[in-house]
Amino acid sequence: MTGPVRPVVNRDNAYFFEGTRDQELRLQKCNACGVLRHPPGPACPDCGAFDRGHVVAAGTGTVFSFLVHHAPQVPGKELPLVIALLDLDEGVRMVAEVAGVPPEGPDGLQIGERLAVDWNVIDDELTLPIWRRVEGSRA
């Protein structure tokens, strides 16, 4: 099996991948108006400022929606793959790969379920966030 697709790291998102290497989930913050955003970008969508920093997120959130990806094959991934839109506790939405959850059936993921970040260490240079169920969060 080949390795995972490596993200393109640039000056807008380097802080995020530096954080994942340290097992921190970092969110971009506008230093001018305080708005948090993800995915990151060069300018604040609210005030237009280019003064950006970041905060470290708690690493927990609620499933807004999800899908089970059956095809096409994704390099470095075993299918089917559960992918969620996750509302982080800080108020931003993030795409999340969910591990340890059956892709379908009564034990599959549910909207409203709580997830917590975990870390998939690929190598010395790349660590990616993955998400797992918070115990006791099922209805």
PDB file of all heavy atoms in Angstrom, residues 76-111:
ATOM      1  N   GLY A  76      -3.089   5.357   0.312  1.00  0.00           N
ATOM      2  CA  GLY A  76      -2.732   5.246   1.716  1.00  0.00           C
ATOM      3  C   GLY A  76      -3.906   5.029   2.660  1.00  0.00           C
ATOM      4  O   GLY A  76      -3.718   4.979   3.868  1.00  0.00           O
ATOM      5  N   LYS A  77      -5.126   4.884   2.117  1.00  0.00           N
ATOM      6  CA  LYS A  77      -6.314   4.702   2.967  1.00  0.00           C
ATOM      7  C   LYS A  77      -6.999   3.388   2.620  1.00  0.00           C
ATOM      8  O   LYS A  77      -7.028   2.956   1.472  1.00  0.00           O
ATOM      9  CB  LYS A  77      -7.321   5.847   2.759  1.00  0.00           C
ATOM     10  CG  LYS A  77      -6.770   7.212   3.093  1.00  0.00           C
ATOM     11  CD  LYS A  77      -6.576   7.388   4.552  1.00  0.00           C
ATOM     12  CE  LYS A  77      -6.058   8.784   4.864  1.00  0.00           C
ATOM     13  NZ  LYS A  77      -5.786   8.960   6.263  1.00  0.00           N
ATOM     14  N   GLU A  78      -7.573   2.770   3.645  1.00  0.00           N
ATOM     15  CA  GLU A  78      -8.372   1.566   3.444  1.00  0.00           C
ATOM     16  C   GLU A  78      -9.835   1.982   3.382  1.00  0.00           C
ATOM     17  O   GLU A  78     -10.320   2.705   4.255  1.00  0.00           O
ATOM     18  CB  GLU A  78      -8.130   0.598   4.609  1.00  0.00           C
ATOM     19  CG  GLU A  78      -8.799  -0.737   4.418  1.00  0.00           C
ATOM     20  CD  GLU A  78      -8.447  -1.719   5.522  1.00  0.00           C
ATOM     21  OE1 GLU A  78      -7.297  -1.697   6.003  1.00  0.00           O
ATOM     22  OE2 GLU A  78      -9.332  -2.494   5.905  1.00  0.00           O
ATOM     23  N   LEU A  79     -10.529   1.556   2.346  1.00  0.00           N
ATOM     24  CA  LEU A  79     -11.945   1.893   2.180  1.00  0.00           C
ATOM     25  C   LEU A  79     -12.817   0.776   2.739  1.00  0.00           C
ATOM     26  O   LEU A  79     -12.396  -0.363   2.776  1.00  0.00           O
ATOM     27  CB  LEU A  79     -12.252   2.121   0.700  1.00  0.00           C
ATOM     28  CG  LEU A  79     -11.497   3.278   0.038  1.00  0.00           C
ATOM     29  CD1 LEU A  79     -11.932   3.417  -1.403  1.00  0.00           C
ATOM     30  CD2 LEU A  79     -11.685   4.589   0.774  1.00  0.00           C
ATOM     31  N   PRO A  80     -14.031   1.073   3.165  1.00  0.00           N
ATOM     32  CA  PRO A  80     -14.667   2.390   3.199  1.00  0.00           C
ATOM     33  C   PRO A  80     -14.076   3.278   4.293  1.00  0.00           C
ATOM     34  O   PRO A  80     -13.530   2.805   5.273  1.00  0.00           O
ATOM     35  CB  PRO A  80     -16.138   2.092   3.460  1.00  0.00           C
ATOM     36  CG  PRO A  80     -16.143   0.770   4.146  1.00  0.00           C
ATOM     37  CD  PRO A  80     -14.931   0.027   3.645  1.00  0.00           C
ATOM     38  N   LEU A  81     -14.212   4.586   4.089  1.00  0.00           N
ATOM     39  CA  LEU A  81     -13.641   5.602   4.962  1.00  0.00           C
ATOM     40  C   LEU A  81     -14.759   6.519   5.451  1.00  0.00           C
ATOM     41  O   LEU A  81     -15.564   6.973   4.651  1.00  0.00           O
ATOM     42  CB  LEU A  81     -12.615   6.390   4.146  1.00  0.00           C
ATOM     43  CG  LEU A  81     -11.824   7.501   4.791  1.00  0.00           C
ATOM     44  CD1 LEU A  81     -10.912   6.953   5.877  1.00  0.00           C
ATOM     45  CD2 LEU A  81     -10.990   8.220   3.733  1.00  0.00           C
ATOM     46  N   VAL A  82     -14.816   6.764   6.739  1.00  0.00           N
ATOM     47  CA  VAL A  82     -15.840   7.646   7.308  1.00  0.00           C
ATOM     48  C   VAL A  82     -15.258   9.058   7.416  1.00  0.00           C
ATOM     49  O   VAL A  82     -14.215   9.260   8.029  1.00  0.00           O
ATOM     50  CB  VAL A  82     -16.313   7.151   8.696  1.00  0.00           C
ATOM     51  CG1 VAL A  82     -17.362   8.086   9.274  1.00  0.00           C
ATOM     52  CG2 VAL A  82     -16.861   5.727   8.598  1.00  0.00           C
ATOM     53  N   ILE A  83     -15.943  10.016   6.784  1.00  0.00           N
ATOM     54  CA  ILE A  83     -15.507  11.410   6.781  1.00  0.00           C
ATOM     55  C   ILE A  83     -16.656  12.261   7.309  1.00  0.00           C
ATOM     56  O   ILE A  83     -17.793  12.135   6.842  1.00  0.00           O
ATOM     57  CB  ILE A  83     -15.117  11.861   5.361  1.00  0.00           C
ATOM     58  CG1 ILE A  83     -13.989  10.973   4.833  1.00  0.00           C
ATOM     59  CG2 ILE A  83     -14.701  13.328   5.355  1.00  0.00           C
ATOM     60  CD1 ILE A  83     -13.689  11.158   3.373  1.00  0.00           C
ATOM     61  N   ALA A  84     -16.366  13.115   8.277  1.00  0.00           N
ATOM     62  CA  ALA A  84     -17.408  13.933   8.912  1.00  0.00           C
ATOM     63  C   ALA A  84     -17.133  15.417   8.734  1.00  0.00           C
ATOM     64  O   ALA A  84     -15.982  15.835   8.584  1.00  0.00           O
ATOM     65  CB  ALA A  84     -17.478  13.624  10.414  1.00  0.00           C
ATOM     66  N   LEU A  85     -18.208  16.183   8.746  1.00  0.00           N
ATOM     67  CA  LEU A  85     -18.107  17.626   8.958  1.00  0.00           C
ATOM     68  C   LEU A  85     -18.304  17.795  10.449  1.00  0.00           C
ATOM     69  O   LEU A  85     -19.339  17.421  11.004  1.00  0.00           O
ATOM     70  CB  LEU A  85     -19.191  18.381   8.199  1.00  0.00           C
ATOM     71  CG  LEU A  85     -18.923  18.644   6.739  1.00  0.00           C
ATOM     72  CD1 LEU A  85     -20.099  19.372   6.112  1.00  0.00           C
ATOM     73  CD2 LEU A  85     -17.657  19.455   6.550  1.00  0.00           C
ATOM     74  N   LEU A  86     -17.321  18.353  11.090  1.00  0.00           N
ATOM     75  CA  LEU A  86     -17.281  18.426  12.542  1.00  0.00           C
ATOM     76  C   LEU A  86     -17.355  19.872  12.997  1.00  0.00           C
ATOM     77  O   LEU A  86     -16.567  20.702  12.544  1.00  0.00           O
ATOM     78  CB  LEU A  86     -15.975  17.782  13.022  1.00  0.00           C
ATOM     79  CG  LEU A  86     -15.769  17.611  14.502  1.00  0.00           C
ATOM     80  CD1 LEU A  86     -16.798  16.654  15.089  1.00  0.00           C
ATOM     81  CD2 LEU A  86     -14.367  17.092  14.760  1.00  0.00           C
ATOM     82  N   ASP A  87     -18.305  20.183  13.857  1.00  0.00           N
ATOM     83  CA  ASP A  87     -18.391  21.509  14.468  1.00  0.00           C
ATOM     84  C   ASP A  87     -17.539  21.493  15.727  1.00  0.00           C
ATOM     85  O   ASP A  87     -17.901  20.880  16.732  1.00  0.00           O
ATOM     86  CB  ASP A  87     -19.843  21.862  14.817  1.00  0.00           C
ATOM     87  CG  ASP A  87     -20.672  22.204  13.596  1.00  0.00           C
ATOM     88  OD1 ASP A  87     -20.102  22.623  12.580  1.00  0.00           O
ATOM     89  OD2 ASP A  87     -21.909  22.052  13.664  1.00  0.00           O
ATOM     90  N   LEU A  88     -16.370  22.145  15.648  1.00  0.00           N
ATOM     91  CA  LEU A  88     -15.490  22.200  16.811  1.00  0.00           C
ATOM     92  C   LEU A  88     -16.115  23.061  17.898  1.00  0.00           C
ATOM     93  O   LEU A  88     -16.899  23.978  17.616  1.00  0.00           O
ATOM     94  CB  LEU A  88     -14.125  22.776  16.425  1.00  0.00           C
ATOM     95  CG  LEU A  88     -13.297  21.960  15.442  1.00  0.00           C
ATOM     96  CD1 LEU A  88     -11.972  22.655  15.181  1.00  0.00           C
ATOM     97  CD2 LEU A  88     -13.061  20.555  15.946  1.00  0.00           C
ATOM     98  N   ASP A  89     -15.752  22.802  19.127  1.00  0.00           N
ATOM     99  CA  ASP A  89     -16.285  23.554  20.264  1.00  0.00           C
ATOM    100  C   ASP A  89     -15.963  25.039  20.159  1.00  0.00           C
ATOM    101  O   ASP A  89     -16.683  25.869  20.706  1.00  0.00           O
ATOM    102  CB  ASP A  89     -15.750  22.980  21.581  1.00  0.00           C
ATOM    103  CG  ASP A  89     -16.251  21.559  21.848  1.00  0.00           C
ATOM    104  OD1 ASP A  89     -17.219  21.123  21.180  1.00  0.00           O
ATOM    105  OD2 ASP A  89     -15.660  20.887  22.712  1.00  0.00           O
ATOM    106  N   GLU A  90     -14.914  25.382  19.422  1.00  0.00           N
ATOM    107  CA  GLU A  90     -14.525  26.786  19.254  1.00  0.00           C
ATOM    108  C   GLU A  90     -15.390  27.521  18.237  1.00  0.00           C
ATOM    109  O   GLU A  90     -15.255  28.722  18.059  1.00  0.00           O
ATOM    110  CB  GLU A  90     -13.052  26.870  18.847  1.00  0.00           C
ATOM    111  CG  GLU A  90     -12.087  26.496  19.948  1.00  0.00           C
ATOM    112  CD  GLU A  90     -11.942  24.984  20.158  1.00  0.00           C
ATOM    113  OE1 GLU A  90     -12.442  24.192  19.342  1.00  0.00           O
ATOM    114  OE2 GLU A  90     -11.322  24.604  21.169  1.00  0.00           O
ATOM    115  N   GLY A  91     -16.259  26.793  17.522  1.00  0.00           N
ATOM    116  CA  GLY A  91     -17.190  27.442  16.609  1.00  0.00           C
ATOM    117  C   GLY A  91     -16.837  27.378  15.140  1.00  0.00           C
ATOM    118  O   GLY A  91     -17.514  27.995  14.325  1.00  0.00           O
ATOM    119  N   VAL A  92     -15.797  26.649  14.766  1.00  0.00           N
ATOM    120  CA  VAL A  92     -15.471  26.493  13.354  1.00  0.00           C
ATOM    121  C   VAL A  92     -15.787  25.068  12.918  1.00  0.00           C
ATOM    122  O   VAL A  92     -15.837  24.150  13.737  1.00  0.00           O
ATOM    123  CB  VAL A  92     -13.997  26.832  13.034  1.00  0.00           C
ATOM    124  CG1 VAL A  92     -13.681  28.277  13.309  1.00  0.00           C
ATOM    125  CG2 VAL A  92     -13.055  25.934  13.798  1.00  0.00           C
ATOM    126  N   ARG A  93     -16.003  24.903  11.635  1.00  0.00           N
ATOM    127  CA  ARG A  93     -16.319  23.587  11.070  1.00  0.00           C
ATOM    128  C   ARG A  93     -15.092  23.067  10.345  1.00  0.00           C
ATOM    129  O   ARG A  93     -14.391  23.795   9.661  1.00  0.00           O
ATOM    130  CB  ARG A  93     -17.499  23.720  10.116  1.00  0.00           C
ATOM    131  CG  ARG A  93     -18.037  22.399   9.629  1.00  0.00           C
ATOM    132  CD  ARG A  93     -19.380  22.586   8.952  1.00  0.00           C
ATOM    133  NE  ARG A  93     -20.387  22.803   9.974  1.00  0.00           N
ATOM    134  CZ  ARG A  93     -21.578  23.330   9.735  1.00  0.00           C
ATOM    135  NH1 ARG A  93     -21.917  23.700   8.520  1.00  0.00           N
ATOM    136  NH2 ARG A  93     -22.441  23.497  10.723  1.00  0.00           N
ATOM    137  N   MET A  94     -14.854  21.757  10.491  1.00  0.00           N
ATOM    138  CA  MET A  94     -13.670  21.123   9.921  1.00  0.00           C
ATOM    139  C   MET A  94     -14.056  19.784   9.311  1.00  0.00           C
ATOM    140  O   MET A  94     -14.919  19.091   9.840  1.00  0.00           O
ATOM    141  CB  MET A  94     -12.655  20.922  11.063  1.00  0.00           C
ATOM    142  CG  MET A  94     -11.380  20.222  10.701  1.00  0.00           C
ATOM    143  SD  MET A  94     -10.242  20.127  12.119  1.00  0.00           S
ATOM    144  CE  MET A  94      -9.577  21.777  12.119  1.00  0.00           C
ATOM    145  N   VAL A  95     -13.398  19.420   8.221  1.00  0.00           N
ATOM    146  CA  VAL A  95     -13.546  18.081   7.653  1.00  0.00           C
ATOM    147  C   VAL A  95     -12.681  17.146   8.492  1.00  0.00           C
ATOM    148  O   VAL A  95     -11.525  17.466   8.795  1.00  0.00           O
ATOM    149  CB  VAL A  95     -13.116  18.051   6.176  1.00  0.00           C
ATOM    150  CG1 VAL A  95     -13.168  16.630   5.630  1.00  0.00           C
ATOM    151  CG2 VAL A  95     -14.003  18.975   5.353  1.00  0.00           C
ATOM    152  N   ALA A  96     -13.239  15.988   8.857  1.00  0.00           N
ATOM    153  CA  ALA A  96     -12.556  15.103   9.794  1.00  0.00           C
ATOM    154  C   ALA A  96     -12.611  13.658   9.335  1.00  0.00           C
ATOM    155  O   ALA A  96     -13.688  13.145   9.029  1.00  0.00           O
ATOM    156  CB  ALA A  96     -13.214  15.224  11.175  1.00  0.00           C
ATOM    157  N   GLU A  97     -11.460  13.006   9.284  1.00  0.00           N
ATOM    158  CA  GLU A  97     -11.431  11.560   9.069  1.00  0.00           C
ATOM    159  C   GLU A  97     -11.721  10.904  10.412  1.00  0.00           C
ATOM    160  O   GLU A  97     -11.071  11.207  11.423  1.00  0.00           O
ATOM    161  CB  GLU A  97     -10.064  11.119   8.551  1.00  0.00           C
ATOM    162  CG  GLU A  97      -9.959   9.626   8.366  1.00  0.00           C
ATOM    163  CD  GLU A  97      -8.580   9.161   7.956  1.00  0.00           C
ATOM    164  OE1 GLU A  97      -7.761   9.991   7.524  1.00  0.00           O
ATOM    165  OE2 GLU A  97      -8.333   7.946   8.074  1.00  0.00           O
ATOM    166  N   VAL A  98     -12.692  10.001  10.438  1.00  0.00           N
ATOM    167  CA  VAL A  98     -13.111   9.354  11.681  1.00  0.00           C
ATOM    168  C   VAL A  98     -12.617   7.917  11.682  1.00  0.00           C
ATOM    169  O   VAL A  98     -12.898   7.142  10.758  1.00  0.00           O
ATOM    170  CB  VAL A  98     -14.642   9.404  11.842  1.00  0.00           C
ATOM    171  CG1 VAL A  98     -15.051   8.793  13.179  1.00  0.00           C
ATOM    172  CG2 VAL A  98     -15.150  10.841  11.732  1.00  0.00           C
ATOM    173  N   ALA A  99     -11.880   7.546  12.716  1.00  0.00           N
ATOM    174  CA  ALA A  99     -11.319   6.204  12.842  1.00  0.00           C
ATOM    175  C   ALA A  99     -12.043   5.442  13.950  1.00  0.00           C
ATOM    176  O   ALA A  99     -12.607   6.023  14.872  1.00  0.00           O
ATOM    177  CB  ALA A  99      -9.833   6.298  13.164  1.00  0.00           C
ATOM    178  N   GLY A 100     -12.005   4.118  13.836  1.00  0.00           N
ATOM    179  CA  GLY A 100     -12.548   3.269  14.888  1.00  0.00           C
ATOM    180  C   GLY A 100     -14.063   3.202  14.933  1.00  0.00           C
ATOM    181  O   GLY A 100     -14.635   2.831  15.952  1.00  0.00           O
ATOM    182  N   VAL A 101     -14.713   3.577  13.831  1.00  0.00           N
ATOM    183  CA  VAL A 101     -16.176   3.559  13.758  1.00  0.00           C
ATOM    184  C   VAL A 101     -16.563   2.691  12.572  1.00  0.00           C
ATOM    185  O   VAL A 101     -16.045   2.885  11.469  1.00  0.00           O
ATOM    186  CB  VAL A 101     -16.732   4.994  13.556  1.00  0.00           C
ATOM    187  CG1 VAL A 101     -18.228   4.982  13.339  1.00  0.00           C
ATOM    188  CG2 VAL A 101     -16.375   5.868  14.748  1.00  0.00           C
ATOM    189  N   PRO A 102     -17.493   1.719  12.765  1.00  0.00           N
ATOM    190  CA  PRO A 102     -17.933   0.934  11.606  1.00  0.00           C
ATOM    191  C   PRO A 102     -18.548   1.860  10.558  1.00  0.00           C
ATOM    192  O   PRO A 102     -19.246   2.813  10.916  1.00  0.00           O
ATOM    193  CB  PRO A 102     -18.989  -0.014  12.176  1.00  0.00           C
ATOM    194  CG  PRO A 102     -18.868   0.054  13.656  1.00  0.00           C
ATOM    195  CD  PRO A 102     -18.175   1.336  13.992  1.00  0.00           C
ATOM    196  N   PRO A 103     -18.304   1.605   9.281  1.00  0.00           N
ATOM    197  CA  PRO A 103     -18.818   2.499   8.250  1.00  0.00           C
ATOM    198  C   PRO A 103     -20.341   2.510   8.158  1.00  0.00           C
ATOM    199  O   PRO A 103     -20.923   3.494   7.719  1.00  0.00           O
ATOM    200  CB  PRO A 103     -18.187   1.978   6.961  1.00  0.00           C
ATOM    201  CG  PRO A 103     -17.702   0.616   7.272  1.00  0.00           C
ATOM    202  CD  PRO A 103     -17.469   0.539   8.732  1.00  0.00           C
ATOM    203  N   GLU A 104     -20.985   1.431   8.549  1.00  0.00           N
ATOM    204  CA  GLU A 104     -22.443   1.369   8.468  1.00  0.00           C
ATOM    205  C   GLU A 104     -22.980   0.497   9.585  1.00  0.00           C
ATOM    206  O   GLU A 104     -22.234  -0.123  10.319  1.00  0.00           O
ATOM    207  CB  GLU A 104     -22.869   0.835   7.102  1.00  0.00           C
ATOM    208  CG  GLU A 104     -22.615   1.856   6.020  1.00  0.00           C
ATOM    209  CD  GLU A 104     -22.075   1.289   4.729  1.00  0.00           C
ATOM    210  OE1 GLU A 104     -21.432   0.240   4.711  1.00  0.00           O
ATOM    211  OE2 GLU A 104     -22.308   1.959   3.742  1.00  0.00           O
ATOM    212  N   GLY A 105     -24.294   0.475   9.708  1.00  0.00           N
ATOM    213  CA  GLY A 105     -24.951  -0.363  10.697  1.00  0.00           C
ATOM    214  C   GLY A 105     -25.274   0.400  11.964  1.00  0.00           C
ATOM    215  O   GLY A 105     -25.009   1.601  12.075  1.00  0.00           O
ATOM    216  N   PRO A 106     -25.820  -0.299  12.937  1.00  0.00           N
ATOM    217  CA  PRO A 106     -26.285   0.368  14.159  1.00  0.00           C
ATOM    218  C   PRO A 106     -25.176   1.007  14.990  1.00  0.00           C
ATOM    219  O   PRO A 106     -25.433   1.906  15.768  1.00  0.00           O
ATOM    220  CB  PRO A 106     -26.989  -0.748  14.941  1.00  0.00           C
ATOM    221  CG  PRO A 106     -26.424  -2.026  14.384  1.00  0.00           C
ATOM    222  CD  PRO A 106     -26.055  -1.736  12.954  1.00  0.00           C
ATOM    223  N   ASP A 107     -23.944   0.551  14.810  1.00  0.00           N
ATOM    224  CA  ASP A 107     -22.821   1.131  15.558  1.00  0.00           C
ATOM    225  C   ASP A 107     -22.088   2.201  14.761  1.00  0.00           C
ATOM    226  O   ASP A 107     -21.067   2.712  15.199  1.00  0.00           O
ATOM    227  CB  ASP A 107     -21.837   0.038  15.976  1.00  0.00           C
ATOM    228  CG  ASP A 107     -22.438  -0.904  17.007  1.00  0.00           C
ATOM    229  OD1 ASP A 107     -23.286  -0.454  17.803  1.00  0.00           O
ATOM    230  OD2 ASP A 107     -22.073  -2.099  16.989  1.00  0.00           O
ATOM    231  N   GLY A 108     -22.614   2.542  13.585  1.00  0.00           N
ATOM    232  CA  GLY A 108     -21.995   3.568  12.755  1.00  0.00           C
ATOM    233  C   GLY A 108     -22.132   4.947  13.377  1.00  0.00           C
ATOM    234  O   GLY A 108     -22.844   5.162  14.359  1.00  0.00           O
ATOM    235  N   LEU A 109     -21.459   5.892  12.790  1.00  0.00           N
ATOM    236  CA  LEU A 109     -21.451   7.266  13.272  1.00  0.00           C
ATOM    237  C   LEU A 109     -22.851   7.879  13.202  1.00  0.00           C
ATOM    238  O   LEU A 109     -23.645   7.529  12.322  1.00  0.00           O
ATOM    239  CB  LEU A 109     -20.481   8.083  12.420  1.00  0.00           C
ATOM    240  CG  LEU A 109     -20.058   9.449  12.953  1.00  0.00           C
ATOM    241  CD1 LEU A 109     -19.311   9.316  14.278  1.00  0.00           C
ATOM    242  CD2 LEU A 109     -19.191  10.166  11.936  1.00  0.00           C
ATOM    243  N   GLN A 110     -23.147   8.797  14.115  1.00  0.00           N
ATOM    244  CA  GLN A 110     -24.441   9.478  14.138  1.00  0.00           C
ATOM    245  C   GLN A 110     -24.242  10.990  14.198  1.00  0.00           C
ATOM    246  O   GLN A 110     -23.304  11.474  14.838  1.00  0.00           O
ATOM    247  CB  GLN A 110     -25.255   9.055  15.369  1.00  0.00           C
ATOM    248  CG  GLN A 110     -25.630   7.599  15.378  1.00  0.00           C
ATOM    249  CD  GLN A 110     -26.378   7.212  16.644  1.00  0.00           C
ATOM    250  OE1 GLN A 110     -26.640   8.029  17.517  1.00  0.00           O
ATOM    251  NE2 GLN A 110     -26.707   5.948  16.748  1.00  0.00           N
ATOM    252  N   ILE A 111     -25.141  11.710  13.537  1.00  0.00           N
ATOM    253  CA  ILE A 111     -25.138  13.164  13.637  1.00  0.00           C
ATOM    254  C   ILE A 111     -25.370  13.528  15.104  1.00  0.00           C
ATOM    255  O   ILE A 111     -26.187  12.927  15.786  1.00  0.00           O
ATOM    256  CB  ILE A 111     -26.203  13.766  12.712  1.00  0.00           C
ATOM    257  CG1 ILE A 111     -25.776  13.551  11.254  1.00  0.00           C
ATOM    258  CG2 ILE A 111     -26.407  15.251  13.000  1.00  0.00           C
ATOM    259  CD1 ILE A 111     -26.789  13.941  10.224  1.00  0.00           C
TER     260      ILE A 111
END
